């Protein structure tokens, strides 16, 4: 069962905190995702995962953190990048604020996968954690979940390719420009490899339109499959697995 913190008066939030209900904090970014997807893909996916978790558990979903470090998409219009220190301080403050509201466990549902940003999320969670507040950060890039999300996900196309486009088609199809998606040629770039080789943005990594992988191969069915796997992995992390 899902409660949206933003829609509740404080006494109801307090009652849910007192009942030791899980707090969820969706985290994404505001950044270019190819010519076929909107800037808020990571937030939409994070909130979709929160909704699925809430089908299995009673939760209170807090408003998302929608701005963070997004250096790789920085050359493209609409991308808003926040310095790592600022992004981390913001996340720590938000997590501590949720703790001060009385919640004793919070799950950070992050779907902005830029390595430097995910590092910020893990560091902020470690800093915000205390004996009174447990902070869980599921990381679906890791084994055993990562490989289940497909070859493209593991080898460079986790930005606006078949992976994210499928998730968007399954959760927010009205935000996908389908004609544009179908016309995009597959761009098989090893994004992690390019990063290791020194690329500092998507242009340098060989993605002139801010997408990688194969958006044309995306489908609703694949999006549903991915959402199921990510939800299972997130629930397992919340259960200590
Ligand atoms: Zn994304």
């Amino acid at each position: 069962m899902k409660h949206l913190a933003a829609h509740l008066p404080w006494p109801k939030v307090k009652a849910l905190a007192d009942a030791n209900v899980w707090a969820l904090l969706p985290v994404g970014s505001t950044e270019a995702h190819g010519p076929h997807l909107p800037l808020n893909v990571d937030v939409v996916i994070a909130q979709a995962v929160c909704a699925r978790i809430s089908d299995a558990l009673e939760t209170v979903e807090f408003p998302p953190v929608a701005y963070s470090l997004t250096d790789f998409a920085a050359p493209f219009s609409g991308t808003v990048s926040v310095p790592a220190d600022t992004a981390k301080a913001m996340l720590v403050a938000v997590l501590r604020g949720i703790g001060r509201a009385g919640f004793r466990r919070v799950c950070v549902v992050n779907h902005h996968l830029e390595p430097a940003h995910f590092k910020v999320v893990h560091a902020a969670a470690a800093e915000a954690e205390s004996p009174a507040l447990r902070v869980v950060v599921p990381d679906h890039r890791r084994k055993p979940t990562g490989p289940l999300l497909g070859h493209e996900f593991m080898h460079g196309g986790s930005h606006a390719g078949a992976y994210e486009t499928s998730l968007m088609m399954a959760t927010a199809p009205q935000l996908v420009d389908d004609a544009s998606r179908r016309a995009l040629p597959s761009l098989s770039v090893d994004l992690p490899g390019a990063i290791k080789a020194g690329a500092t943005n998507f242009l340098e990594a060989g993605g002139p339109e801010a997408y990688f992988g194969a958006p044309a191969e995306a489908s609703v069915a694949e999006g549903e499959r991915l959402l199921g796997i990510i939800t299972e992995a997130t629930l397992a992390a919340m259960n200590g697995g």
Side-chain angles (χ1 to χ4, degrees), residues 57-117:
L57 280 179
E58 186 169 26
T59 64
V60 181
E61 181 185 327
F62 277 77
V65 174
Y67 293 99
S68 189
L69 177 81
T70 66
D71 287 343
F72 275 78
F76 300 91
S77 291
T79 298
V80 178
S81 189
V82 170
D85 287 357
T86 310
K88 185 180 155 207
M90 175 75 177
L91 269 175
V92 170
V94 170
L95 289 167
R96 286 189 176 147
I98 291 170
R100 264 195 301 276
F103 290 93
R104 280 165 274 165
R105 43 189 185 169
V106 55
C107 179
V108 183
V109 180
N110 172 51
H111 282 272
H112 173 37
L113 305 181
E114 186 164 331
H117 162 80

Side-chain angles (χ1 to χ4, degrees), residues 165-230:
T165 305
S166 295
L167 284 166
M168 288 298 286
M169 289 168 73
T171 59
Q174 74 282 8
L175 297 179
V176 180
D177 179 342
D178 210 50
S180 160
R181 166 188 86 78
R182 286 171 189 276
L184 290 174
S186 171
L187 197 57
S188 64
V189 169
D190 175 5
L191 197 46
I195 293 171
K196 276 195 194 116
T200 60
N201 61 48
F202 289 151
L203 289 175
E204 290 176 6
E209 292 190 85
Y211 80 89
F212 297 89
E217 290 168 21
S219 70
V220 174
E222 173 66 358
E224 285 293 336
R225 186 188 78 86
L226 295 168
L227 200 52
I229 292 167
I230 294 167

